[in-house]
């Protein structure tokens, strides 16, 4: 047994008996997936409704950052919903590469969805500081393309692994890569969310909407940085002890409930609630401002 595995097993040995009993409960294993699927389905519906409301409010605008954010949120949650509702069937899929893509793709799309907020904040910060913004979107697109390309290579390598050793190496590399990507997202939120928060703090106290924007940026930064940091830790631990801490499997319903609620379901629902305000409605005289109080 490797030292890291020994530490993980020692930590798991302290878990209470009721946890083990629940993990081995066939009924919980089945209904946990249905519950998670229903939660994701509800969030997807909320994101779609909000997207439609925004489109009806300002139909003359194209695909703004706000619209793309809600569309990607709906897509991620719809994919997660399907993967949990049909988890048993997905476990039997062949080739293995297809199963890996269906399991991992929503996580990558979740990363893209929320780093879109980082891009939006970076553009606001650079514009406010009279800094160039032309390179921000190409960097965002290039970084995301690199992440998907690297993950595609890992999917191909993992599907071609023909021995236990190769599968183990593939699992370590994939977990390390996903953990690193999640940490990059957390750093991005802390960097630009923190900068925007400090910039807003320097605005005059009487500035309209200052307090509301401070609260909005501060809360979204804290939620997203925390959820991506937790994701990185959990993904790394799942590679250390795949037998007891593996995610996305039928045998760990309690672990799946806690993991997906903390890193995706609760953060997504919370951020959608915080960013629920619609853009100003257009009138014959122009755009009507929405009162901040």
């Amino acid at each position: 047994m490797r030292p890291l595995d020994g530490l993980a097993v020692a930590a798991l040995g302290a878990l209470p008996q009721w946890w083990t009993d629940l993990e081995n409960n066939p009924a919980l294993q089945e209904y946990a997936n249905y519950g998670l699927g229903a939660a994701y389905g509800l969030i997807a519906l909320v994101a779609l409704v909000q997207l439609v409301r925004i489109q009806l409010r300002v139909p003359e605008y194209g695909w703004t950052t706000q619209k793309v954010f809600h569309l990607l949120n709906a897509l991620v949650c719809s994919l997660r919903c399907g993967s949990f509702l049909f988890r048993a069937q997905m476990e039997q899929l062949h080739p293995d590469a297809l199963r890996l893509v269906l399991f991992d793709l929503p996580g990558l799309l979740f990363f893209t969805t929320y780093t879109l907020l980082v891009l939006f904040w970076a553009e606001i910060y650079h514009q406010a500081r009279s800094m160039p913004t032309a390179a921000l979107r190409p960097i965002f697109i290039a970084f995301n393309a690199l992440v998907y390309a690297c993950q595609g290579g890992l999917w191909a390598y993992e599907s071609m692994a023909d021995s236990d050793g190769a599968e183990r190496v593939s699992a370590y590399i994939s977990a390390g890569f996903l953990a690193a990507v999640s940490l990059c997202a957390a750093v991005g939120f802390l960097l630009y969310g923190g900068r925007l928060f400090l910039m807003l703090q320097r605005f005059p106290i009487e500035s309209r909407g200052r307090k509301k924007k401070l609260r909005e940026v501060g809360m979204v930064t804290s939620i997203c940085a925390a959820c991506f940091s937790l994701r990185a830790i959990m993904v790394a631990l799942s590679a250390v002890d795949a037998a007891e801490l593996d995610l996305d499997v039928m045998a760990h319903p309690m672990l799946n409930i806690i993991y997906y609620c903390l890193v995706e379901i609760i953060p997504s629902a919370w951020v959608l609630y915080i960013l629920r305000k619609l853009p100003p409605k257009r009138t014959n005289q122009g755009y009507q401002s929405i009162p901040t109080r």
Side-chain angles (χ1 to χ4, degrees):
M1 181 181 291
R2 287 173 290 276
L4 286 175
D5 286 354
L7 289 173
V9 171
L12 288 168
L15 293 175
Q17 183 60 38
W18 61 263
W19 176 279
T20 305
D21 293 340
L22 286 174
E23 287 276 83
N24 296 325
N25 187 330
L28 181 62
Q29 292 174 2
E30 179 180 0
Y31 290 111
N33 287 331
Y34 292 151
L36 289 170
Y40 277 110
L42 180 60
I43 295 174
L45 179 62
V46 170
L48 279 176
V49 169
Q50 186 69 353
L51 175 61
V52 172
R53 292 178 68 207
I54 295 170
Q55 178 61 26
L56 293 176
R57 175 69 73 108
V58 283
E60 65 279 2
Y61 281 0
W63 281 100
T64 62
T65 301
Q66 189 180 22
K67 291 179 183 179
V68 174
F69 174 76
H70 284 90
L71 177 65
L72 288 176
N73 245 317
L75 177 61
V76 169
C77 292
S78 297
L79 289 174
R80 283 288 192 212
C81 176
S83 68
F84 278 111
L85 293 180
F86 301 101
R87 177 54 55 94
Q89 292 85 341
M90 289 178 63
E91 293 283 353
Q92 309 301 322
L93 281 177
H94 294 286
D96 289 340
L98 177 60
R99 179 172 54 84
L100 292 172
V101 170
L102 291 175
F103 281 153
D104 293 342
L105 183 60
L108 292 179
L109 289 173
F110 184 85
F111 165 81
T112 299
T113 301
Y114 283 85
T115 52
L116 193 63
L117 288 179
V118 177
L119 171 65
F120 181 60
W121 287 349
E123 289 177 335
I124 292 175
Y125 178 80
H126 280 237
Q127 288 170 358
R129 305 280 293 185
S130 299
M131 298 167 66
T133 61
L136 292 176
R137 284 182 180 266
I139 290 173
F140 171 79
I141 294 170
F143 184 75
N144 274 270
L146 178 63
V147 167
Y148 284 84
C150 290
Q151 185 60 57
L154 289 172
W155 285 333
Y157 176 76
E158 192 167 351
S159 65
M160 293 185 294
D162 55 0
S163 66
D164 290 342
E167 288 181 0
R168 187 70 176 175
V169 170
S170 173
Y172 272 126
I173 296 174
S174 182
F177 175 73
L178 290 175
V181 166
S182 297
L183 283 178
C184 286
V187 170
F189 272 104
L190 291 174
L191 179 63
Y192 280 105
R195 285 179 173 181
L196 192 57
F197 185 85
L198 293 175
M199 187 181 72
L200 289 170
Q201 273 192 324
R202 290 193 287 268
F203 280 16
I205 296 177
E206 64 274 10
S207 296
R208 186 178 185 184
R210 171 185 176 274
K211 183 177 180 181
K212 182 179 182 300
K213 282 297 179 184
L214 270 173
R215 183 171 62 250
E216 178 182 300
V217 172
M219 291 183 68
V220 173
T221 297
S222 301
I223 293 166
C224 293
C227 85
F228 278 107
S229 299
L230 180 60
R231 179 191 288 271
I233 294 170
M234 291 293 293
V235 168
L237 287 176
S238 71
V240 169
D241 187 8
E244 297 293 343
L245 292 173
D246 197 13
L247 302 167
D248 284 329
V249 294
M250 296 286 287
H252 298 300
M254 288 295 293
L255 186 61
N256 279 344
I257 291 171
I258 293 172
Y259 172 75
Y260 286 104
C261 282
L262 291 180
V263 305
E264 286 187 3
I265 294 174
I266 294 175
S268 295
W270 203 346
V271 170
L272 285 174
Y273 176 76
I274 294 171
L275 303 179
R276 67 191 183 279
K277 177 179 280 190
L278 297 175
K281 181 183 292 186
R282 188 172 188 176
T283 64
N284 293 332
Q285 291 76 32
Y287 284 98
Q288 220 175 34
S289 60
I290 298 177
T292 58
R293 296 173 183 242

